[in-house]
Amino acid sequence: MTDQCLSNPSAHLYLKGDARGGAFPFVVEPFSEDYTGRLSWRFLGNQLLRCASLHAGMCGFGYDDMQEAHHVWVLSRLVVELEEMPRTNEAYTIETWVSRIYRQFTDRLYAITGNDGRAYGFAHSTWALIDVQSRQPMELSTLPDDGFVRFLIDRDVPIKGAGRIRLKTDGEPARTLQAYYSDLDINGHVNSIRYIEMMLDLFPKSLYDATPVRRIEVAYSAESYCGDVLKIYTTDAGNGTHLVEIQKEGGVTVVKAAITFG
Amino acid sequence: MTDQCLSNPSAHLYLKGDARGGAFPFVVEPFSEDYTGRLSWRFLGNQLLRCASLHAGMCGFGYDDMQEAHHVWVLSRLVVELEEMPRTNEAYTIETWVSRIYRQFTDRLYAITGNDGRAYGFAHSTWALIDVQSRQPMELSTLPDDGFVRFLIDRDVPIKGAGRIRLKTDGEPARTLQAYYSDLDINGHVNSIRYIEMMLDLFPKSLYDATPVRRIEVAYSAESYCGDVLKIYTTDAGNGTHLVEIQKEGGVTVVKAAITFG
């Protein structure tokens, strides 16, 4: 997301036992905040993806490495839970490491920490490695040469992982919109983090005036493309949590999420 | 926009005669491109604003300095014309300087250059300094202590400046949308560059497949806020140029633009 990832000399890999984590320093720059003066979810989200990509690349299983084998990493789940979002000019570091491999999935965890040691928050993500030709996920635990097992770091994060998100979508959608040019990522799909923005945009400014978003949990099910009509359904689940589902034509679920203010 | 502005040791002021320009190096990072693999207009646009802000701050007439005097810089015109957009991992430098002060306006110019010396493009912007209390623009040429005159650099850019944009808006709008949370900048207004995205989103992907956007010219007339209903009108002016106007309630013009593909 930001140039500093690559250019800042303090971006680095670190050893934890035999395995390697990545640490990437950032500063909240003007024009990267939301109206409350804190880092926007769009920026943070894309930075989490960027750090995943950088760390994987440094370890030899990044986008380019996988592409040679006709494989591609696909984000399946993302949970971000924050004590608070950093403010303009505050420095923070995103640490990321791979904690687990199971069947067709791998868990990548994150800690977002201030320079004074405070924890801004944590994130939990789940990825699959898809074969480009067959579109089937690889069995990650049976890859040759032990696959990615040697990269595992046994360190957890103090937030709940992804749960099951269920909501009724038989009524009228809360909003219907279309995917356009500026929603697309380099693969021609709607950017994973853009869905989070679409969902955050369901809520009135008065809600953001009163309280920040504390936790976002997203389950990615299908890709959507330019021109797709997206129907967004939402249900208030109580305790500050709103469930959201985005469907494309044919009622196909693209994304489900639970968004918690508080 | 990116951390490198501040953290990269090669971001600097340079002398031109007695006056100072700013030079800010960037790299096109993954997750900052559009689907064609080139830097997105959103990123470039916000970087231009960020570089303006950094340069003004380094010269002593930045946001914080002006705020002390209860003044605020307001963007009035922005023209960006490109030979091409830089691609993923390409390095580029944004140079910016103030070229002119006249009555209530000042012109800030930009050159966007590759490390190999190639010109990616140029930009031309016009700003007013508004008194926060009266909402009136200041007479810039009669400010005490010669105002900003000593910062002027007599260097032009080889692109046409802002012209007059006229289109009919008595028919049906091409699109009607609403401003939401994620559209807002830190002042609670819709972000200046977000309007450019809204306008680029009028055009089908097939147009972007065929040809890039070569030039964008924007005239900012009024602010819009969260919840505002925005009507977007557009006319094909021929030769790849599309005129666009965004109005808020009451038919108030927020932004006009001329967007040229080619």
Side-chain angles (χ1 to χ4, degrees):
Chain A
M1 197 62 204
T2 85
D3 311 69
Q4 201 173 27
C5 282
L6 284 178
S7 65
N8 191 301
S10 53
H12 65 279
L13 288 175
Y14 61 89
L15 284 174
K16 193 106 181 177
D18 294 330
R20 286 170 162 193
F24 305 94
F26 295 95
V27 173
V28 182
E29 286 287 319
F31 300 97
S32 69
E33 322 98 325
D34 70 3
Y35 84 88
T36 71
R38 295 185 182 265
L39 184 66
S40 71
W41 281 93
R42 180 186 187 116
F43 253 80
L44 179 64
N46 279 310
Q47 282 174 341
L48 294 176
L49 301 188
R50 179 66 183 132
C51 289
S53 167
L54 282 169
H55 173 251
M58 286 163 154
C59 291
F61 55 94
Y63 182 82
D64 293 340
D65 309 289
M66 291 302 102
Q67 208 177 25
E68 280 178 31
H70 305 287
H71 298 154
V72 60
W73 287 112
V74 173
L75 181 61
S76 169
R77 295 281 186 285
L78 178 64
V79 183
V80 185
E81 190 169 323
L82 300 177
E83 283 299 311
E84 57 170 329
M85 270 287 193
R87 289 171 195 272
T88 314
N89 293 327
E90 285 184 351
Y92 60 101
T93 295
I94 297 180
E95 268 184 274
T96 183
W97 64 98
V98 180
S99 70
R100 198 172 157 225
I101 291 170
Y102 51 109
R103 301 188 306 278
Q104 298 158 342
F105 295 103
T106 174
D107 287 346
R108 169 180 289 285
L109 307 185
Y110 297 89
I112 306 155
T113 316
N115 281 4
D116 52 3
R118 100 176 95 165
Y120 283 116
F122 299 91
H124 187 294
S125 63
T126 302
W127 301 73
L129 187 65
I130 303 289
D131 183 273
V132 172
Q133 259 101 55
S134 70
R135 304 304 300 171
Q136 292 302 306
M138 311 293 299
E139 276 291 332
L140 292 177
S141 44
T142 62
L143 285 178
D145 301 330
D146 260 3
F148 310 111
V149 172
R150 67 185 180 284
F151 296 104
L152 296 184
I153 294 183
D154 182 23
R155 174 187 170 193
D156 206 359
V157 288
I159 65 170
K160 254 182 66 184
R164 203 179 172 92
I165 298 165
R166 280 194 196 168
L167 66 160
K168 287 200 173 185
T169 60
D170 49 3
E172 278 301 297
R175 186 167 295 158
T176 301
L177 48 78
Q178 212 171 347
Y180 299 125
Y181 161 73
S182 71
D183 299 320
L184 306 180
D185 65 19
I186 197 168
N187 300 308
H189 310 138
V190 172
N191 170 275
S192 307
I193 306 304
R194 179 65 186 126
Y195 293 118
I196 294 179
E197 275 195 335
M198 289 175 181
M199 297 189 288
L200 292 176
D201 281 349
L202 292 173
F203 306 105
K205 184 163 172 287
S206 54
L207 190 51
Y208 293 97
D209 289 343
T211 177
V213 171
R214 176 76 66 189
R215 177 183 163 100
I216 295 183
E217 177 180 336
V218 192
Y220 295 94
S221 300
E223 302 288 0
S224 70
Y225 302 89
C226 196
D228 278 355
V229 173
L230 302 175
K231 292 185 176 180
I232 314 187
Y233 299 87
T234 185
T235 300
D236 186 341
N239 294 320
T241 296
H242 300 262
L243 307 180
V244 186
E245 178 167 340
I246 301 181
Q247 293 182 354
K248 60 179 179 180
E249 269 135 299
V252 174
T253 301
V254 176
V255 174
K256 286 185 188 186
I259 296 175
T260 306
F261 290 80
Chain B
M1 197 64 204
T2 86
D3 311 74
Q4 203 174 24
C5 283
L6 284 178
S7 66
N8 189 301
S10 53
H12 65 280
L13 288 175
Y14 61 88
L15 284 174
K16 193 106 181 177
D18 294 331
R20 288 171 159 191
F24 304 95
F26 296 93
V27 173
V28 182
E29 287 286 318
F31 300 97
S32 69
E33 321 98 328
D34 71 5
Y35 83 90
T36 72
R38 295 184 182 266
L39 184 65
S40 70
W41 282 93
R42 182 188 184 112
F43 253 79
L44 178 65
N46 279 310
Q47 281 175 340
L48 293 176
L49 301 188
R50 179 67 182 129
C51 290
S53 167
L54 282 169
H55 173 251
M58 287 164 154
C59 291
F61 55 93
Y63 183 81
D64 293 340
D65 310 288
M66 291 303 102
Q67 209 178 25
E68 279 178 33
H70 305 289
H71 297 156
V72 60
W73 287 113
V74 173
L75 181 61
S76 169
R77 295 280 185 286
L78 177 64
V79 183
V80 184
E81 190 169 323
L82 300 177
E83 282 300 309
E84 57 171 328
M85 269 288 192
R87 289 171 195 271
T88 314
N89 294 328
E90 286 184 349
Y92 59 101
T93 295
I94 297 180
E95 268 184 273
T96 183
W97 65 97
V98 180
S99 70
R100 198 169 157 226
I101 292 170
Y102 50 111
R103 301 188 307 275
Q104 296 157 344
F105 295 103
T106 173
D107 287 346
R108 167 180 290 283
L109 307 184
Y110 297 89
I112 305 155
T113 316
N115 281 4
D116 51 3
R118 101 175 97 165
Y120 283 115
F122 299 91
H124 186 293
S125 63
T126 302
W127 300 74
L129 187 65
I130 303 289
D131 184 274
V132 172
Q133 259 102 54
S134 72
R135 303 304 299 171
Q136 292 303 306
M138 311 293 297
E139 276 291 332
L140 293 176
S141 45
T142 61
L143 285 178
D145 300 330
D146 260 2
F148 311 110
V149 172
R150 68 183 180 283
F151 296 104
L152 295 184
I153 293 183
D154 182 22
R155 173 187 170 194
D156 206 357
V157 287
I159 64 171
K160 255 182 67 184
R164 203 179 172 92
I165 298 166
R166 279 195 197 167
L167 67 159
K168 285 201 174 186
T169 60
D170 48 4
E172 278 301 297
R175 187 167 294 158
T176 300
L177 47 78
Q178 213 172 347
Y180 298 126
Y181 162 72
S182 71
D183 299 321
L184 307 180
D185 65 18
I186 197 169
N187 299 308
H189 310 138
V190 172
N191 170 275
S192 308
I193 306 304
R194 178 65 185 127
Y195 293 118
I196 294 179
E197 276 196 334
M198 290 175 181
M199 296 189 287
L200 292 176
D201 281 349
L202 292 173
F203 306 104
K205 184 163 171 290
S206 55
L207 190 52
Y208 293 97
D209 289 343
T211 178
V213 172
R214 175 77 65 189
R215 176 183 164 100
I216 295 182
E217 177 179 337
V218 191
Y220 295 95
S221 301
E223 303 288 0
S224 71
Y225 303 89
C226 196
D228 278 354
V229 174
L230 302 176
K231 294 187 175 178
I232 314 187
Y233 299 87
T234 184
T235 301
D236 186 340
N239 294 317
T241 296
H242 300 262
L243 306 180
V244 186
E245 178 165 341
I246 301 182
Q247 294 182 354
K248 61 179 180 180
E249 268 134 301
V252 175
T253 301
V254 175
V255 174
K256 287 187 189 184
I259 296 175
T260 305
F261 291 79

